[in-house]
Amino acid sequence: MSTDTPGIDPLEALRAPRDPACDVFLTGPVFLDIIFTGLDSAPVRGTESWARGMGSSPGGVANMATALARLGLHTSLAAAFGDDHYGEYCWDALEQGEGIDLSMSHTVPGWHSPVTVSMAYEGERTMVSHGHEAPAPAPDAGTGSRAGATGTGTSTGTIENGTSTGTTENGTSTGAAAPVFPQCPPRARAAIASLAPGRSEPWVATAARDGALVFGDVGWDETGRWDLDALPDLAHCEAFLPNAEEAMRYTRTDCPRAAAHALAERVPLAVVTLGAEGAYAVDGRTGTAAAVPAIEVEALDPTGAGDVFVAGFVTGTLADWPLADRLAFAGLTAALSVQEFGGSLSAPGWAEIAAWWQLIRTCDRQDPAALERYAFLDDLLPATARAWPLRRAVPTIGFRQ
């Protein structure tokens, strides 16, 4: 994480001694993303294309975990990591670089990291991925350290909320055994679940029962059924965040807003993303609806923008902001992310948000009403910020300090 990013804690005013140490918990596969940019067109069969830019970063669920951490939320990730150089790089980038808690994660000996190659051009991207499903961790496998895979290193300390307690030396647990994820997810303010037809993850119900607000993300339904009843974990969700096409297919409607209202009958909070048109949300408890237009930007790479949107909305929800402010903030963070390439590489922090807000108020011909939509940022951001645009470092595997 950038050392000059303002240390903003969006939940500072709400924190209490008995609150869980974890703000957001999530789980899923971590990929090594290799991103090529500066392509003038799609690669042509039988030819070699040269990209003007390249970067590498943790991808997959790491995109959302990074976005949450950069917004100041205490983020815990449970994931499998390969014991190859790619896995080591992703682990260090997330734990050391972003401050993400990996005490629920584990390293799999002999398993190679999944890889995605992303090519960005003409405002879109094409991806090629390869990987194998990680085997389930052994019941006595240590978590939260890469030492178990390499046989070196020492991890000492106590981990609460259902993980092993004790000292791990050279990959051997010496403390009292205790259930680990997925049997016992950590107590958290929120959890993000990836919903899929016909699949139920027991940890989701446990997290909800322990007080976490569950935010349900969803992907394309390969079965073609588009049946909400086939998403059993939806019953545990505080919020459901499909895109417009997904929402309309699930509700058999031909209008994203109508779809949002229909979904609000099944889940307390329905949020439908509308791409270039912004987002629309309905609070099923109060009947309140909010619509926020998208911010017009020149998109370099949309990879991970949906993850960043969810992270922004989760942040606003946990901070107890009004519904429209949550939508506006989520849309802003997503818009800032598409101006950089890569998934986790592009996730904005408070420095980027502050710099954008400082710049946008000085631009000529700004619509006062549009500026007023983001006036809530004044109470969050420092008085001064670095100049815009900002450019993140591009981490590339192989460089040494």
Side-chain angles (χ1 to χ4, degrees), residues 183 185 187 202-214 236:
Q183 290 83 1
R187 195 167 71 92
W203 72 265
V204 176
T206 302
R209 186 169 58 250
D210 289 345
L213 300 179
V214 179
H236 305 297

Side-chain angles (χ1 to χ4, degrees), residues 142-158:
T143 58
S145 172
R146 290 192 56 82
T150 62
T152 61
T154 300
S155 177
T156 304
T158 300

Side-chain angles (χ1 to χ4, degrees), residues 315-364:
T315 300
T317 300
L318 294 183
D320 201 24
W321 298 346
L323 183 57
D325 288 355
R326 297 182 230 170
L327 280 187
F329 185 74
L332 169 60
T333 55
L336 294 179
S337 76
V338 302
Q339 297 179 94
E340 301 284 346
F341 69 82
S344 61
L345 283 176
S346 66
W350 289 105
E352 286 86 348
I353 296 167
W356 173 85
W357 182 232
Q358 186 178 73
L359 171 71
I360 205 70
R361 288 180 295 178
T362 63
C363 292
D364 296 334

Side-chain angles (χ1 to χ4, degrees), residues 125-302:
R125 86 280 197 195
T126 296
M127 296 182 291
V128 179
S129 297
H130 172 73
H132 304 280
E133 185 174 352
D140 58 347
T143 58
S145 172
R146 290 192 56 82
T150 62
T152 61
T154 300
S155 177
T156 304
T158 300
I159 303 171
E160 298 179 350
N161 299 325
T163 67
S164 297
T165 302
T167 302
T168 303
E169 297 179 357
N170 298 325
T172 302
S173 178
T174 61
V180 296
F181 182 80
Q183 290 83 1
C184 293
R187 195 167 71 92
R189 296 172 185 266
I192 298 175
S194 180
L195 309 183
R199 188 185 74 192
S200 178
E201 300 287 352
W203 72 265
V204 176
T206 302
R209 186 169 58 250
D210 289 345
L213 300 179
V214 179
F215 294 77
D217 198 5
V218 71
W220 191 259
D221 184 358
E222 299 292 347
T223 71
R225 294 175 57 199
W226 298 101
D227 181 7
L228 287 172
D229 291 331
L231 303 176
D233 288 335
L234 186 64
H236 305 297
C237 289
E238 168 72 13
F240 185 45
L241 299 97
N243 63 31
E245 184 67 21
E246 294 160 349
M248 289 187 292
R249 287 177 179 267
Y250 271 120
T251 58
R252 311 296 192 270
T253 59
D254 57 5
C255 169
R257 297 192 176 202
H261 283 276
L263 290 173
E265 297 177 3
R266 299 288 297 268
V267 69
L269 190 58
V271 182
V272 177
T273 56
L274 310 175
E277 297 180 22
Y280 186 77
V282 178
D283 187 326
R285 294 189 178 100
T286 65
T288 302
V292 174
I295 297 173
E296 293 185 10
V297 295
E298 183 177 350
L300 174 63
D301 179 7

